[in-house]
Amino acid sequence: MPRESLRALQNKRLHNTVDYVYHQVPYYRETLDRVGIKPENIRSVDDLQKLPFTKKQALRDYYPFGLLAVPRENLMRIHASSGTTGKPTVVCYTANDVDVFAEVNARSLATAGARRGMILHNAYGYGLFTGGLGIHYGGERLGMTVVPVSGGATQRQVTLILDFKPEVICCTPSYAQTLGEEFKKRGISPEEISLKVGLLGAEPWTETIRVAVEASLGIAATNIYGLSEIIGPGVSQECIEARAGSHIWEDHFYPEVVNIETGNPLPDGKEGVLIFTHLTREAMPLLRYWTGDITYLTHDVCACGRTHVRMGPIRGRADDMLIVRGVNLYPTQVEEILKGIPEVTPHYQIVVTRVSTLDEVEVKVELTEEVFRHVAQDVITDDVIAVDHAMHALRNKIEHLIRDTLGLGVTVTLVPPETVPRSEGGKLRRVEDKRNL
Ligand code: ADP
Ligand code: ZN
């Protein structure tokens, strides 16, 4: 759709949504009355700035059904966020919402290169988490053959992939790493794996992981993004043609990126907090929902021809950001640095402790098999590698790189291959903050 038509559609849908929630959801009527806004004041997406943000706390305060715009009996489905950060929040769907959920996921799959008739190995978790069922419905809508494997039971997953020969896989990037390692252990090369494309998401990942996963599974890996409050997976998806940012399905979810301190909108290319406004939601529409995810937007024309705006990779969540001795640190920044060091794998863990008043950061970094084989056996104790001469140099190199790039002194611990926690199907937490802040 040309951008002018898309804009006209958004304006119409936005006005309808604001009018709808004003009359159906007491929370929004009170909020809008408080700032003196009537639905007729919101005629275009440029008027959005007049509205306050909706934060996750509102969903908690009105738990479970306080923000519904429809009678409870009209709900077809209830999901909950996976609760990575705090108490889970409940999200509700009418039949029409489930229909849109299927539509945006079918669209995402097609955008990633999936086609009718292909087999989809769906290793996102099924259940309250939106990932499994969202992708599942999308695959069916597209006319694919869906295998609802869900997360975990890695041995069985590998067997099923070898037997069914799916072309498409959906899972978290960390679980794709786990699967890749399992294939390697079984001596199966990427060329022998039927998979062609992967839709990976639900947690932050970087180009390092993309390269590793593509090499081990023999796929083209694309990013899928979503959050339960907005619909689940299928809010945005990277196109297989360009793989340069994820197209946001903005005919359903209107995006903004704002300054984290001031809340003011930011121009293309500038990183800030991602905000979404529902344009077609029936059960629980949200206005200017503050995702806490940090990224930027770009309206540049995409090589694939789609006109939908793109978002960059998620740098992290606002609440994923560690503040260590006053320095802001996202785990993905450490990952970017490790990418440049051939002796180590993209598996790492960050442990933050506080010794009296001083924050200490330990970065556990895994050696590759090849390097590990050459480490003198007598320096390996339990899960840690003592520093002999060569290891000393490597450790110093990584510590210096991190200090130079991030302005933060850390202690690097080198550990043997496969000792850092792996994904067992769901989201992987790469940070352990033991500070009790
Ligand atoms: P929870 O907040 O409990 O994890 P969700 O399951 O709704 O609940 O997860 C949504 C969050 O997951 C997003 O807000 C974002 O932080 C993260 N996420 C989802 N997809 C991606 C992705 N492709 N890249 C980075 N982060 C993602
Ligand atoms: Zn594109």
Side-chain angles (χ1 to χ4, degrees):
M1 189 184 271
R3 282 213 63 87
E4 308 75 66
S5 324
L6 180 57
R7 181 49 60 99
L9 182 70
Q10 289 171 328
N11 291 343
K12 189 170 113 229
R13 287 181 169 177
L14 174 64
H15 173 73
N16 289 346
T17 298
V18 174
D19 192 61
Y20 175 63
V21 296
Y22 187 80
H23 292 101
Q24 301 297 326
V25 186
Y27 167 77
Y28 276 119
R29 175 186 289 260
E30 284 157 26
T31 307
L32 268 66
D33 282 347
R34 198 170 351 105
V35 292
I37 297 286
K38 293 269 174 268
E40 46 274 28
N41 301 131
I42 308 296
R43 289 278 159 204
S44 94
V45 292
D46 297 326
D47 297 323
L48 263 177
Q49 286 176 52
K50 299 175 187 162
L51 299 174
F53 297 108
T54 305
K55 300 254 171 106
K56 202 177 183 106
Q57 191 57 40
L59 278 78
R60 294 192 174 128
D61 292 346
Y62 289 82
Y63 175 94
F65 301 133
L67 293 178
L68 283 187
V70 297
R72 213 277 309 134
E73 298 73 31
N74 293 18
L75 297 182
M76 186 190 224
R77 178 91 59 78
I78 299 173
H79 277 291
S81 87
S82 51
T84 312
T85 54
K87 184 177 168 188
T89 40
V90 171
V91 285
C92 303
Y93 304 69
T94 62
N96 193 59
D97 294 334
V98 170
D99 192 65
V100 171
F101 198 17
E103 156 74 24
V104 291
N105 277 286
R107 219 191 260 182
S108 297
L109 282 157
T111 301
R115 293 292 175 267
R116 163 181 298 279
M118 288 182 176
I119 296 182
L120 165 59
H121 183 95
N122 186 13
Y124 279 117
Y126 279 67
L128 276 177
F129 173 59
T130 51
L133 283 165
I135 296 283
H136 184 100
Y137 276 59
E140 289 187 350
R141 175 67 55 91
L142 189 62
M144 303 182 76
T145 307
V146 183
V147 188
V149 201
S150 198
T154 305
Q155 296 295 338
R156 190 182 54 171
Q157 303 236 3
V158 166
T159 305
L160 291 180
I161 291 172
L162 292 172
D163 292 350
F164 296 170
K165 304 197 173 13
E167 293 92 344
V168 182
I169 182 164
C170 293
C171 61
T172 58
S174 55
Y175 194 59
Q177 287 179 289
T178 300
L179 286 171
E181 287 180 343
E182 193 52 40
F183 276 109
K184 193 173 170 196
K185 265 189 222 151
R186 289 208 199 172
I188 297 158
S189 71
E191 303 78 52
E192 294 171 88
I193 306 170
S194 59
L195 295 168
K196 302 265 175 311
V197 294
L199 290 83
L200 313 184
E203 64 189 10
W205 56 306
T206 61
E207 290 304 315
T208 320
I209 295 187
R210 186 181 335 239
V211 170
V213 164
E214 293 193 338
S216 64
L217 293 177
I219 58 172
T222 60
N223 183 49
I224 183 165
Y225 166 86
L227 64 164
S228 50
E229 295 87 331
I230 298 308
I231 199 146
V235 172
S236 74
Q237 168 67 43
E238 227 171 14
C239 59
I240 185 79
E241 295 88 350
R243 296 204 286 158
S246 306
H247 290 283
I248 299 173
W249 306 132
E250 56 175 319
D251 46 333
H252 295 289
F253 324 112
Y254 186 81
E256 301 167 84
V257 166
V258 303
N259 181 294
I260 189 167
E261 308 288 342
T262 65
N264 292 332
L266 292 171
D268 270 19
K270 284 266 177 290
E271 272 191 351
V273 181
L274 185 60
I275 308 291
F276 284 107
T277 298
H278 280 122
L279 297 180
T280 55
R281 199 65 188 265
E282 271 184 1
M284 227 176 93
L286 300 173
L287 303 179
R288 302 196 88 196
Y289 184 70
W290 183 279
T291 66
D293 292 330
I294 309 292
T295 189
Y296 58 87
L297 297 178
T298 170
H299 287 82
D300 290 353
V301 179
C302 184
C304 73
R306 288 178 185 84
T307 53
H308 285 84
V309 63
R310 281 171 288 160
M311 55 185 255
I314 301 289
R315 167 167 299 287
R317 304 182 180 208
D319 50 16
D320 226 24
M321 189 183 79
L322 288 164
I323 302 181
V324 180
R325 284 178 249 136
V327 178
N328 294 354
L329 172 73
Y330 288 105
T332 49
Q333 292 178 304
V334 172
E335 195 169 308
E336 283 298 328
I337 292 169
L338 296 180
K339 165 171 91 176
I341 302 167
E343 294 95 334
V344 304
T345 72
H347 296 283
Y348 64 96
Q349 193 186 21
I350 300 173
V351 183
V352 192
T353 48
R354 178 161 285 181
V355 183
S356 76
T357 58
L358 194 64
D359 296 337
E360 299 285 350
V361 182
E362 180 190 15
V363 182
K364 292 187 184 170
V365 183
E366 245 179 44
L367 295 179
T368 63
E369 285 287 352
E370 291 70 20
V371 171
F372 184 63
R373 245 181 274 128
H374 292 103
V375 177
Q377 291 304 305
D378 57 336
V379 302
I380 303 166
T381 48
D382 296 330
D383 278 354
V384 179
I385 298 168
V387 277
D388 69 357
H389 187 64
M391 290 301 107
H392 189 69
L394 176 60
R395 200 185 66 163
N396 274 356
K397 181 168 94 174
I398 302 174
E399 286 178 351
H400 275 121
L401 267 174
I402 294 178
R403 183 173 315 126
D404 287 353
T405 321
L406 306 179
L408 188 69
V410 305
T411 310
V412 166
T413 307
L414 299 172
V415 298
E418 297 191 41
T419 50
V420 162
R422 295 294 196 271
S423 164
E424 283 162 20
K427 300 182 191 229
L428 182 61
R429 291 291 279 172
R430 288 194 162 89
V431 177
E432 206 182 323
D433 195 340
K434 297 180 171 170
R435 287 177 296 179
N436 275 329
L437 294 180

